Amino acid sequence: MKKVFLLLLVSSACFAQEVKRKLVWEENFNKKELNEKEWNFELGDGCPNLCGFGNNERQIYTKTNHSFEDGNLVIEARKEGSKYTSTKITTKGKKDFKYGRIEARAKLPVGQGIWPAFWMLGANIDQIHWPKAGEIDILEYIGRDPGMVYTTLHTQDSHGNTINTKRTPYPNIEEGYHVFAIEWTKDKMDFFVDKTLVYTFNPTVKNEDTWPFDKPFYIIVNVAVGGNFGGPEVDDKIFPQKYYVDYIRVYQ
C-alpha cells in the first residue's frame, strides 16, 4: 500500500508539472501563404558572405519551393537544370524563445543527398556570431544514413564541431509523421523523437562557451541538399522530394 501511495504521489506530481506548461505559440500552417509577420524567407545560396552556408551546401533557397497542403507546410527540394532549389524559413527578429518544450510534427524527405532540419540559432548571432551564439539541432536527417536521427548542439567550446551530438537508430523514421522535440530548462536540454528520449545535454561546467542556452533562440525549418553533412554525392533520381511540417508548438 505504501508503494502504491508513493507511485500515486509521483504520478500526481508529474501530472501537475504537465498542467503548468502552457502553449505559448503555435504555427499550424493552415493558411494559403506563409505569415510573414512571424516568418522570414532566407533566399539564395549564402553568397557572397557565406557561400554554401558554411557547409558547401548545393541548394539555392527560393520563395517558390513551398506550398500548403491539408494543413501542412510542404518544402519541395528540386533539381532544376544544373541547380538544386529548396526553401528555408526562420522566425529571426520576429519570434524567439527561451526555455520550454519546442516541437514539430513532420514527415521527412528521403534519398542520397537530402538533408531536412528543424533547428534554432541564438537570437544574438549577428552580434556575437556562430558558434558563440549557439545552435540547437532538434532534428537533422541525412538521406545517406537511413534509419537514423541526429540531434546536436553547437557551442564555442566545441568550436562548432559536433561533439555534443547523438546519432540514434530509429528504423521507421522515414515512414509517416513523427514528433521531434526539445525540453529545455536552465540546467539541461532533453531531445525527443515521438515519446522516446534520445539525448540529454547537461554540461557540468556552464559558461558562455559551454552553455550559450540561457538566452532566446529563433526557429528555422529547411531542406538542404548535399554539403559536408548531407554528403557530397547527390542522387538526382530522387527529386523532387517533399518535407511535410504539420505544426510547430512552443510550451512554457
Side-chain angles (χ1 to χ4, degrees), residues 36-251:
E36 293 191 59
K37 291 182 179 179
E38 297 190 338
W39 292 97
N40 313 289
F41 287 99
E42 187 161 329
L43 303 176
D45 59 4
C47 292
N49 298 324
L50 194 65
C51 291
F53 300 97
N55 299 300
N56 293 312
E57 296 166 30
R58 298 171 67 177
Q59 78 286 342
I60 298 170
Y61 288 124
T62 79
K63 281 190 174 183
T64 57
N65 282 70
H66 73 287
S67 60
F68 297 90
E69 300 177 13
D70 301 322
N72 287 254
L73 167 69
V74 184
I75 295 178
E76 184 172 315
R78 306 180 192 130
K79 178 73 166 25
E80 302 185 62
S82 61
K83 298 177 180 178
Y84 302 96
T85 59
S86 185
T87 287
K88 179 179 185 178
I89 61 172
T90 86
T91 64
K92 183 179 181 182
K94 297 177 178 178
K95 286 286 180 181
D96 50 50
F97 305 96
K98 177 182 172 183
Y99 307 144
R101 178 180 171 90
I102 299 158
E103 67 179 29
R105 182 175 184 264
K107 180 181 179 183
L108 302 176
V110 298
Q112 177 79 34
I114 209 75
W115 178 8
F118 169 52
W119 53 301
M120 306 180 78
L121 284 172
N124 61 347
I125 191 167
D126 290 341
Q127 288 73 48
I128 65 174
H129 308 299
W130 187 92
K132 198 170 186 67
E135 177 178 329
I136 305 168
D137 297 324
I138 304 170
L139 157 71
E140 287 184 294
Y141 169 85
I142 48 176
R144 65 180 173 83
D145 194 16
M148 296 288 172
V149 177
Y150 288 79
T151 47
T152 301
L153 293 149
H154 296 274
T155 65
Q156 182 68 31
D157 181 62
S158 67
H159 305 289
N161 295 323
T162 53
I163 61 171
N164 307 317
T165 189
K166 180 71 182 297
R167 173 179 175 266
T168 303
Y170 215 93
N172 69 337
I173 199 64
E174 293 90 358
E175 300 171 14
Y177 287 82
H178 298 274
V179 176
F180 304 92
I182 56 167
E183 293 189 0
W184 171 22
T185 71
K186 66 181 181 62
D187 298 311
K188 67 172 182 171
M189 201 172 296
D190 291 327
F191 291 77
F192 295 85
V193 179
D194 298 324
K195 295 183 179 180
T196 302
L197 175 65
V198 296
Y199 179 52
T200 295
F201 181 64
N202 184 11
T204 303
V205 177
K206 290 184 173 68
N207 55 42
E208 62 180 6
D209 292 335
T210 63
W211 185 258
F213 309 113
D214 56 355
K215 58 183 181 296
F217 276 62
Y218 64 89
I219 293 171
I220 307 167
V221 180
N222 71 294
V223 179
V225 177
N228 299 339
F229 191 51
E233 295 182 8
V234 179
D235 181 2
D236 290 345
K237 296 190 296 296
I238 69 172
F239 295 100
Q241 281 293 318
K242 294 183 177 182
Y243 180 25
Y244 294 82
V245 184
D246 180 18
Y247 63 73
I248 298 171
R249 294 173 182 165
V250 179
Y251 300 86

Side-chain angles (χ1 to χ4, degrees), residues 10-51:
V10 171
S11 299
S12 298
C14 291
F15 178 75
Q17 188 175 18
E18 287 179 7
V19 169
K20 288 179 182 178
R21 183 182 288 148
K22 295 181 179 180
L23 179 67
V24 297
W25 182 76
E26 65 180 328
E27 173 59 82
N28 291 306
F29 300 113
N30 53 7
K31 306 294 184 182
K32 293 183 178 180
E33 59 185 22
L34 194 68
N35 179 5
E36 293 191 59
K37 291 182 179 179
E38 297 190 338
W39 292 97
N40 313 289
F41 287 99
E42 187 161 329
L43 303 176
D45 59 4
C47 292
N49 298 324
L50 194 65
C51 291

